[in-house]
Amino acid sequence: MQGFSAAPTGAFLLLLFSLLSPLLVPAGAEQELEPSSRLATAAARVALHYLNFQAGSPGALQQLGQIRKATLKNIPDSDPKYYLRFTTKDYQSGETSGTCFATVLYPKTKSAPVVTIKCMNTKDQKQIEEEDNRLYQKIRHQTKPITGNNIPDSYGNIEPALEPVWALAVAGSSYIMWEKSTENLSYFMAQVKSVKQWIRKDDYIEFDYTVLLHEIPTQEIISCHMRLTWLPGHPLKVKYFCASDDQGLKDGSGMESGSAAEILPERGANF
């Protein structure tokens, strides 16, 4: 009878390890994630949604650059927590604007992700305030209430007169996207379907929006109605209701007691 070798081949051992390695990570250990993975990208975007809303400033809007490092700490019977380091780009110019360190914890209950974020930005506060004031004055000096539909249009274009309206929509919808995000669902704002300005007697500006959110990975388009109130130097106020929600109207304001206060000056608002 022909004998056989009891020693497994190197190829077999490699295959066995690749199959079993996910099971060998000790409970509670931190797992290094591929920076380009869907989970790492989604967590970084959640952190930026939170930051953009808390900033309450179109001039301070940031978008995701590159994820440099991503780690997941997943303890059984506890909430998964992501540790991230990533670069950001200025939302308007697309130029690299800084580096952020963030943690994102996804509660297993139906509540918003808990975000802690600290950024080192190249854009100074004075420049941001100047941009916000220019945008504010542009809106305030309109001779009639601003209205619009389908921003951007089917070709991806935004009329210059509607760029301030779009920037505010990005800031306000960041609150919706942060609050709705879960470990397995993330969001982009695809389009402002409609917008209407309300004239106020005070210095605040106020808009009613219908925004369309692109849900990842389901590819569904979620329609949300959002009322936004803003004055430069004061927290952004947002109330919204989405077609997919069953809990009625939700509202929030920037700079609640939160961990973005480390990098953003806190100011009160009087309504």
Side-chain angles (χ1 to χ4, degrees), residues 179-250:
E179 191 170 72
K180 290 180 69 66
S181 292
T182 67
E183 190 175 17
N184 298 309
L185 291 176
S186 60
Y187 298 87
F188 293 94
M189 191 180 80
Q191 189 181 52
V192 172
K193 194 65 180 173
S194 65
V195 59
K196 176 182 178 181
Q197 183 182 5
W198 293 93
I199 301 301
R200 295 172 60 110
K201 294 181 179 179
D202 58 17
D203 291 333
Y204 286 83
I205 56 177
E206 185 169 338
F207 288 96
D208 267 347
Y209 289 94
T210 297
V211 296
L212 302 181
L213 306 182
H214 186 188
E215 187 177 80
I216 306 295
T218 67
Q219 304 301 323
E220 291 186 21
I221 298 296
I222 310 297
S223 176
C224 300
H225 177 77
M226 174 176 71
R227 176 163 288 190
L228 178 149
T229 308
W230 180 66
L231 178 67
H234 294 262
L236 198 62
K237 293 283 185 177
V238 171
K239 294 184 178 181
Y240 77 93
F241 175 80
C242 297
S244 60
D245 290 339
D246 57 2
Q247 297 178 341
L249 188 70
K250 300 182 181 181

Side-chain angles (χ1 to χ4, degrees), residues 43-44 46-48 50-51 62 64 66-71 81-88 98-104 114-121 259-263:
V46 167
L48 278 180
Y50 176 83
L51 180 67
Q62 299 184 64
L64 184 60
Q66 290 186 325
I67 299 174
R68 301 298 190 188
K69 185 177 179 63
T71 306
K81 188 173 185 179
Y82 290 76
Y83 298 79
L84 306 154
R85 177 167 59 89
F86 53 86
T87 62
T88 61
T99 300
C100 294
F101 298 84
T103 63
V104 178
V114 178
V115 176
T116 300
I117 182 166
K118 185 175 181 61
C119 298
M120 295 173 287
N121 297 326
S259 47
E262 296 178 26
I263 54 172

Side-chain angles (χ1 to χ4, degrees), residues 45-111:
R45 287 206 169 99
V46 167
L48 278 180
H49 290 330
Y50 176 83
L51 180 67
N52 282 337
F53 172 68
Q54 292 286 0
S57 163
L61 286 175
Q62 299 184 64
Q63 56 182 314
L64 184 60
Q66 290 186 325
I67 299 174
R68 301 298 190 188
K69 185 177 179 63
T71 306
L72 168 62
K73 187 172 184 178
N74 206 347
I75 302 174
D77 300 321
S78 296
D79 301 325
K81 188 173 185 179
Y82 290 76
Y83 298 79
L84 306 154
R85 177 167 59 89
F86 53 86
T87 62
T88 61
K89 296 186 291 185
D90 183 80
Y91 200 92
Q92 299 293 335
S93 67
E95 297 177 356
T96 299
S97 58
T99 300
C100 294
F101 298 84
T103 63
V104 178
L105 183 143
Y106 293 101
K108 293 181 179 178
T109 57
K110 289 186 177 181
S111 56

